[in-house]
Amino acid sequence: MCGIIAYTGERVALPLLITGLSKLEYRGYDSAGVYTPEDGLLRSTDGVQSLAALAPNAPSGTFGIAHTRWATHGAPAVRNAHPHAAQNNILHLVHNGIIENYQDLKDELSALGHTFASDTDSEVLAHYIATAYEAGLTTTEALASTLSKVRGTYGIALVFADDPGTLYAAALGSPIVIGIGEHEAWVASDATALIHETKRVVYLEDGEYAIVTPETYTIKTLGHIDKTRTPQTVTQNAEELSKHGYAHYMLKEMHEIPTVIADTTRGRLSEMRSTVKLGGLEEVRRELERMERLMVVGCGSAYYAGLYGKYLIGSLVGLPVDLELGSEARYRSIPASRSSVLLAVTQSGETADTLASVKAFKEHGGLTLGLVNVVGSTIARTVDAGVYTHAGPEIGVASTKAFVTQLVGFGLIALKLAELRGVTSTELLSFKDALLSLPTLATEVLARSERVEAVAQHYAKYAHMLYIGRSLSAPMAYEGALKLKEVSYIHAEGYPAGEMKHGPLAMIDDAFPTMAIAPRDSVYEKMISNIQEIKARKGPIIMVATDGDYRAEEMADHVIWIPKAHEALMPVLATMALQQFAYAVALAKGINPDRPRNLAKSVTVE
Ligand code: F6R
């Protein structure tokens, strides 16, 4: 999610590193930093370009490391910006990813008397490597022994004070690429940062580390076994590279869903532990134990995630949840007290209406929480406490991966609330286990996208579409319709299926197809009745059905299959399929789904 660039060679490093960082801006950043031994540690929250002005003298260092940060642990602030120094500057390190067991490692170091300058997991990693080095291990032994203790993901680059001119790097679940030039070399998280300098690159594989000098690079496993790898030539341009080979950001972000689900649950939920760890809610646990009602606010997709959360928390925890659109809640007088809690759901953390509702609720003395993606955003800073989703930067205007992590975030919150309020049930346990298996199921949904695309080809010609679902799938009907509207401009309406006879059925004819989200759940039979009613009026039907549902093919004109899963998680898989459907319809109509007309990613005005 963050960006790394490092250089060693004969040229002055600082301007090269700043240029490299600016190429990583598309990943989003909230602070940036650079270190060369000669120019020192320069860090800023005012953007990459502000770093140059921080150098005390004309830059002279010829090797160094640099980073743009997308905050995960610790607010965006200079003290949390990378590079991080350890033990009197014996090493400096930059890190992408999340160290899941950083608190255990930190406690171990604190017991040895370490103090930390930042709130990050990355600084803990720097201290841990430095401690092993001080204890007499070589640089690579210290690096490998630390990394073998780490749980989580990392792409790192580091420099040791005792080994000038050498870059060290390692990767696990977060990419690292080495760029090879003439008497110079680079390390980056992403080839975009270096292809303007060299197109000859070598990628690290998971569980490998590298030692890079201007003339050589050596790659080894954490067990110090040598790996030979010849450089390859990058042929794509920067724009293509930043999309990682995908045609659009929307497609890339849909493909990141399994990873970001795992990132959102990482360190919070585990098979071994029965409790859920949500550090951001710790300080308000008393209020959450006593809370009588929860009010959720959000706009657009975030509101639909809230509707899913309302049903989920209602059924798993038995807690009443009210749901409001930010644009409505801000103008209503909301009775708030310390026993009522407002939860704002937002990807950007900047949506004006959601923010206004938070402020209004706060003024009335209510406790405010956030379920936010962008760390340190205005809403994240305004609420009393909260939970971050870890979707990473979302560039496509239509929310895909961020929406899914909001659903997962509600899963975590439901489990936490149940725990705090002493609610136990076998249902909760099976839901927890199911949440841990969601990345695998999500990968399966992605593997089936070709079939969805084929179905989508038939529907690009229609002017209208209806999306229906019941219970936990009703929010997915709204969200699916919104996604289609946004990226294909087809008029689409989401409806709870039980409302069909109260009006919408009148619209149905052979020119008005319906997307029926009908997984094999407790309301399946009711959905089948709705589907039959639509069929009787000649409405074309696409059914989102669970594997093995033999009736689906008989009833529907087209079927989009999703894997069997826990009842509360099939809607999550369905929403992924509906994102793929909208994407494919957009392409069939020749629309760029990354740039829907009239829309902006962050709605900071009313
Ligand atoms: C739809 C979409 C929007 C956002 C809404 C709220 O694809 O992205 O509906 O969900 O604008 O934005 P955030 O979550 O940033 O508050």
Side-chain angles (χ1 to χ4, degrees):
M1 297 183 223
C2 311
I4 290 174
I5 177 80
Y7 171 78
T8 180
E10 294 167 340
R11 292 189 281 162
V12 175
L14 188 68
L16 301 176
L17 293 171
I18 291 175
T19 305
L21 286 183
S22 65
K23 310 276 179 196
L24 296 168
E25 279 183 27
Y26 75 94
R27 299 171 76 103
Y29 60 86
D30 50 62
S31 57
V34 55
Y35 170 78
T36 80
E38 288 77 7
D39 309 311
L41 181 60
L42 315 173
R43 298 184 295 179
S44 163
T45 52
D46 296 329
V48 163
Q49 297 306 334
S50 68
L51 292 171
L54 300 176
N57 303 305
S60 60
T62 56
F63 82 105
I65 55 177
H67 189 265
T68 64
R69 179 166 185 255
W70 169 268
T72 57
H73 292 68
V78 169
R79 70 174 195 291
N80 290 327
H82 301 216
H84 290 289
Q87 280 99 303
N88 295 325
N89 299 332
I90 64 171
L91 67 81
H92 284 80
L93 171 142
V94 289
H95 166 227
N96 286 0
I98 299 175
I99 307 297
E100 208 172 301
N101 58 336
Y102 85 101
Q103 193 59 52
D104 297 343
L105 303 179
K106 191 171 187 176
D107 292 347
E108 213 180 295
L109 292 170
S110 301
L112 297 173
H114 285 243
T115 52
F116 296 89
S118 77
D119 311 317
T120 64
D121 50 342
S122 314
E123 190 191 5
V124 175
L125 194 58
H127 279 234
Y128 212 93
I129 299 168
T131 305
Y133 182 61
E134 280 184 323
L137 298 189
T138 64
T139 51
T140 52
E141 284 167 357
L143 178 63
S145 74
T146 300
L147 295 179
S148 45
K149 292 198 176 107
V150 160
R151 280 205 317 275
T153 55
Y154 55 78
I156 55 171
L158 64 157
V159 289
F160 287 87
D162 291 346
D163 193 3
T166 305
L167 306 173
Y168 292 80
L172 184 75
S174 188
I176 286 287
V177 58
I178 303 166
I180 297 141
E182 290 293 319
H183 310 299
E184 61 184 12
W186 308 80
V187 165
S189 52
D190 191 320
T192 336
L194 50 78
I195 49 157
H196 58 289
E197 293 283 358
T198 178
K199 298 219 176 321
R200 290 181 69 222
V201 300
V202 173
Y203 285 91
L204 284 195
E205 285 178 7
D206 279 351
E208 291 179 345
Y209 71 83
I211 309 147
V212 181
T213 70
E215 310 293 343
T216 59
Y217 65 90
T218 311
I219 299 176
K220 291 174 188 274
T221 65
L222 291 188
H224 306 291
I225 295 166
D226 278 309
K227 291 282 191 170
T228 336
R229 198 153 305 140
T230 39
Q232 48 179 284
T233 304
V234 181
T235 50
Q236 301 103 311
N237 62 30
E239 159 92 351
E240 284 161 356
L241 271 175
S242 66
K243 290 183 192 150
H244 290 226
Y246 293 104
H248 297 98
Y249 284 111
M250 184 177 173
L251 185 62
K252 170 177 174 273
E253 287 160 4
M254 291 192 291
H255 278 264
E256 287 169 352
I257 288 174
T259 308
V260 298
I261 295 173
D263 287 344
T264 301
T265 57
R266 178 168 287 119
R268 295 164 159 182
L269 204 62
S270 90
E271 267 163 34
M272 287 95 76
R273 248 192 354 247
S274 60
T275 53
V276 182
K277 210 165 145 191
L278 289 178
L281 297 184
E282 269 316 302
E283 60 191 82
V284 295
R285 60 184 296 151
R286 287 268 143 71
E287 281 102 327
L288 298 182
E289 278 161 19
R290 286 195 297 255
M291 139 175 86
E292 284 162 15
R293 284 195 95 77
L294 178 65
M295 178 170 157
V296 174
V297 284
C299 295
S301 299
Y303 173 82
Y304 300 141
L307 185 57
Y308 173 82
K310 172 184 161 112
Y311 291 172
L312 194 71
I313 294 170
S315 73
L316 289 178
V317 191
L319 179 75
V321 179
D322 298 318
L323 179 70
E324 294 272 359
L325 285 162
S327 50
E328 293 292 323
R330 65 182 294 184
Y331 296 113
R332 293 193 328 108
S333 132
I334 302 159
S337 70
R338 218 55 192 172
S339 64
S340 55
V341 177
L342 177 131
L343 172 66
V345 187
T346 169
Q347 186 284 128
S348 62
E350 303 295 346
T351 301
D353 287 327
T354 309
L355 176 63
S357 309
V358 170
K359 286 186 176 159
F361 200 78
K362 261 187 122 155
E363 267 163 32
H364 287 94
L367 177 74
T368 55
L369 307 177
L371 179 60
V372 182
N373 190 37
V374 179
V375 176
S377 52
T378 309
I379 293 175
R381 284 183 279 112
T382 308
V383 291
D384 299 301
V387 174
Y388 281 117
T389 53
H390 289 304
E394 192 177 61
I395 296 170
V397 168
S399 188
T400 51
K401 62 173 182 169
F403 176 71
V404 171
T405 59
Q406 286 166 352
L407 306 178
V408 172
F410 269 110
L412 294 173
I413 291 172
L415 289 169
K416 188 74 202 171
L417 289 177
E419 183 187 313
L420 290 175
R421 300 164 74 85
V423 180
T424 50
S425 68
T426 49
E427 184 52 23
L428 278 162
L429 284 177
S430 71
F431 177 69
K432 188 203 110 178
D433 290 344
L435 211 46
L436 284 166
S437 66
L438 192 56
T440 312
L441 294 169
T443 306
E444 175 62 35
V445 175
L446 290 176
R448 300 175 181 197
S449 59
E450 256 179 48
R451 160 130 193 155
V452 180
E453 281 157 28
V455 174
Q457 302 308 318
H458 295 271
Y459 293 89
K461 63 175 186 284
Y462 288 96
H464 310 276
M465 263 189 82
L466 188 67
Y467 281 61
I468 57 169
R470 279 176 185 256
S471 183
L472 285 163
S473 291
M476 305 312 144
Y478 299 133
E479 170 62 10
L482 176 64
K483 215 87 304 172
L484 189 71
K485 281 187 254 224
E486 278 182 295
V487 301
S488 78
Y489 316 150
I490 290 179
H491 164 235
E493 278 199 61
Y495 243 88
E499 285 292 293
M500 286 300 288
K501 289 195 198 71
H502 300 287
L505 206 50
M507 299 187 294
I508 298 298
D509 60 20
D510 59 2
F512 207 128
T514 298
M515 176 77 77
I517 309 161
R520 266 288 193 182
D521 58 12
S522 50
V523 289
Y524 172 78
E525 294 298 340
K526 306 272 172 213
M527 280 301 297
I528 297 302
S529 307
N530 291 120
I531 290 169
Q532 299 292 15
E533 285 153 18
I534 293 165
K535 260 181 85 77
R537 276 128 193 120
K538 300 198 167 45
I541 299 270
I542 318 167
M543 187 167 158
V544 180
T546 313
D547 285 351
D549 179 359
Y550 65 94
R551 288 156 77 186
E553 238 141 25
E554 283 163 26
M555 272 178 306
D557 297 276
H558 292 97
V559 182
I560 293 175
W561 295 104
I562 56 167
K564 275 192 190 129
H566 186 282
E567 169 149 3
L569 295 180
M570 282 188 292
V572 182
L573 304 178
T575 213
M576 287 181 65
L578 298 183
Q579 291 170 358
Q580 293 167 3
F581 180 84
Y583 174 78
V585 173
L587 295 200
K589 293 187 71 176
I591 295 168
N592 176 356
D594 283 345
R595 300 213 182 101
R597 65 186 182 200
N598 311 337
L599 297 178
K601 182 69 186 158
S602 192
V603 186
T604 53
V605 290
E606 241 185 275

